[in-house]
């Protein structure tokens, strides 16, 4: 990834079992797609399977806010873009989009994740050696600006 560029996952194909009786991707499987693409981004940040196996440290999801923008169908191919919005000593705030190969946004996902010691499990600070990577991505992604959907709450707007 070059500076000021979103992380983009490998292409993800839809699976027949993911399609519901309405003929499009079932809402639960948007989470699966986000999880697959998000795991690639976590590995890029240094928190992949090797990190978990060797250090017994990992990332847990604490909160997710998904917006379903446009239907995905069985024949669609997508990628997941990821942006590190912020982090502190123990948490990551990321924003992801499912992007159809034709360029349109299918869904967005805002995620708050926790750094966890698997021996507890308990939330623990990030090790010092991972902080430079987080700082690099936070600075690089800050140049992209804040995505419009970040920080939105759910509610019925009254006139």
């Amino acid at each position: 990834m070059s500076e000021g560029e979103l992380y983009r996952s490998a292409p993800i194909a839809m699976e027949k079992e993911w399609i519901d009786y309405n003929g499009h991707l079932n809402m639960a499987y948007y989470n699966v797609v986000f999880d697959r693409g998000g795991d690639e981004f976590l590995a890029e940040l240094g928190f992949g399977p090797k990190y978990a196996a060797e250090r017994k440290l990992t990332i847990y999801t604490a909160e997710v806010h998904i917006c379903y923008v446009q239907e995905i169908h069985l024949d669609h191919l997508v990628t997941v873009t990821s942006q590190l919005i912020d982090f502190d000593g123990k948490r990551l705030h990321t924003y992801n989009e499912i992007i159809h190969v034709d360029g349109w946004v299918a869904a967005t996902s805002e995620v708050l994740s926790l750094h966890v010691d698997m021996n507890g499990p308990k939330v623990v600070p990030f090790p010092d050696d991972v902080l430079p990577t987080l700082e690099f991505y936070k600075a690089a992604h800050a140049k992209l600006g804040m995505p419009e959907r970040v920080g939105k709450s759910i509610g019925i707007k009254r006139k």
Side-chain angles (χ1 to χ4, degrees), residues 39-73:
D39 278 352
E40 287 185 33
F41 183 53
L42 289 175
E44 176 76 11
L45 294 176
F47 304 116
K50 182 178 177 183
Y51 181 81
E54 292 177 358
R55 296 189 179 198
K56 302 298 182 222
L57 299 169
T58 193
I59 300 295
Y60 280 11
T61 300
E63 184 175 343
V64 177
H65 183 180
I66 293 179
C67 294
Y68 304 95
V69 179
Q70 193 164 333
E71 293 179 3
I72 299 175
H73 298 276

Side-chain angles (χ1 to χ4, degrees), residues 49-108:
K50 182 178 177 183
Y51 181 81
E54 292 177 358
R55 296 189 179 198
K56 302 298 182 222
L57 299 169
T58 193
I59 300 295
Y60 280 11
T61 300
E63 184 175 343
V64 177
H65 183 180
I66 293 179
C67 294
Y68 304 95
V69 179
Q70 193 164 333
E71 293 179 3
I72 299 175
H73 298 276
L74 181 59
D75 61 340
H76 291 178
L77 187 65
V78 301
T79 59
V80 175
T81 60
S82 297
Q83 182 174 354
L84 180 59
I85 301 298
D86 200 3
F87 73 94
D88 65 11
K90 300 177 183 180
R91 298 175 293 182
L92 298 173
H93 179 191
T94 57
Y95 175 79
N96 310 282
E97 293 183 342
I98 296 175
I99 308 290
H100 186 275
V101 292
D102 290 341
W104 48 267
V105 175
T108 66

